[in-house]
Amino acid sequence: MGVVAIEELRRHLAGGRVLAGLDLGDKTIGVAVSDRGLSFAHPRPVIMRKKFSLDAAALLAALEKENVGAAVIGLPVNMDGSEGPRAQKSRAFVRNMAPLSALPFAFWDERLSTVAAERTLIEMDFSRRKRAQKIDSAAAAFILQGVLDRLQAIGSDEPQFPSSSP
C-alpha cells in the first residue's frame, strides 16, 4: 500500500488488527506490537538482518502472526530536523516493502528513542549484555508508544456529543 499519515492509521485497524512499531538497525529490526485497544506497546523478539529478501519475509511473517494492520517505522531524523543517510535507508526500506505487502506504513520521528529505551533498560537493571539483546525491540516499543499516545490525543480532540438516553 505504501506510506500513510499517522492520522490515517486507525482506519486500517478494523477487525481487531493491531499496530506494529519497527526500529530499523543495520544488524537487527526491532519489533513491537500494540494491544487491540491501541493503548500499550509490547516489545517482540528482534529480527536478525541478513539480506533484504530474507528480512522482508521474516518481518511479514511476524506481522501476519501478530494480526498487524499497519506498521510505523522509526525515522532517524537528525537533531536539527534534517534527514541524513539513515533516514534515507528507512525510506528505501519502506519503498522496497510496499510492493510485497498491502500493509500501510507510516513514519515517526524517532529522535532519541534508542537513548530513552536504553535509559529504561538501565533503570530496570538489565546488564549491558541483556540491554544489547533487547535495545532494538525496546526502541521499537518506545516509537510505537509515541504513536499510540498521539492516536489517543487525536481521538480526544474529536468533538464529543452527548448520548441520547431515555
Side-chain angles (χ1 to χ4, degrees):
M1 165 168 268
V3 178
V4 299
I6 295 294
E7 295 76 16
E8 297 176 41
L9 289 173
R10 274 191 198 276
R11 68 184 181 99
H12 297 283
L13 302 177
R17 296 179 66 91
V18 299
L19 189 58
L22 306 175
D23 181 54
L24 302 176
D26 291 330
K27 296 179 183 176
T28 62
I29 299 173
V31 180
V33 296
S34 72
D35 61 324
R36 288 185 182 183
L38 302 179
S39 297
F40 301 105
H42 304 280
R44 294 297 190 250
V46 297
I47 295 170
M48 299 306 293
R49 295 192 79 172
K50 296 172 175 87
K51 66 179 193 172
F52 178 77
S53 60
L54 297 174
D55 300 346
L59 178 59
L60 290 174
L63 298 180
E64 184 176 333
K65 178 182 172 193
E66 295 282 357
N67 196 29
V68 169
V72 177
I73 309 288
L75 189 65
V77 178
N78 294 326
M79 292 307 289
D80 65 2
S82 65
E83 291 187 15
R86 294 202 55 215
Q88 295 307 316
K89 280 184 180 180
S90 296
R91 290 191 183 278
F93 184 87
V94 170
R95 271 193 311 274
N96 291 330
M97 287 293 293
L100 304 176
S101 173
L103 285 178
F105 293 89
F107 290 107
W108 185 256
D109 182 344
E110 71 159 69
R111 275 181 271 195
L112 302 178
S113 63
T114 301
V115 172
E118 183 153 24
R119 283 185 184 153
T120 300
L121 293 174
I122 289 169
E123 288 171 8
M124 294 171 67
D125 206 25
F126 278 90
S127 69
R128 187 179 303 265
R129 192 168 125 230
K130 288 270 189 195
R131 285 194 313 264
Q133 295 169 353
K134 297 186 180 297
I135 191 69
D136 291 321
S137 287
F142 190 84
I143 291 163
L144 180 56
Q145 191 63 55
V147 173
L148 296 174
D149 293 347
R150 175 70 182 131
L151 290 175
Q152 293 296 328
I154 291 169
S156 67
D157 289 345
E158 294 174 2
Q160 301 296 315
F161 299 103
S163 62
S164 57
S165 56

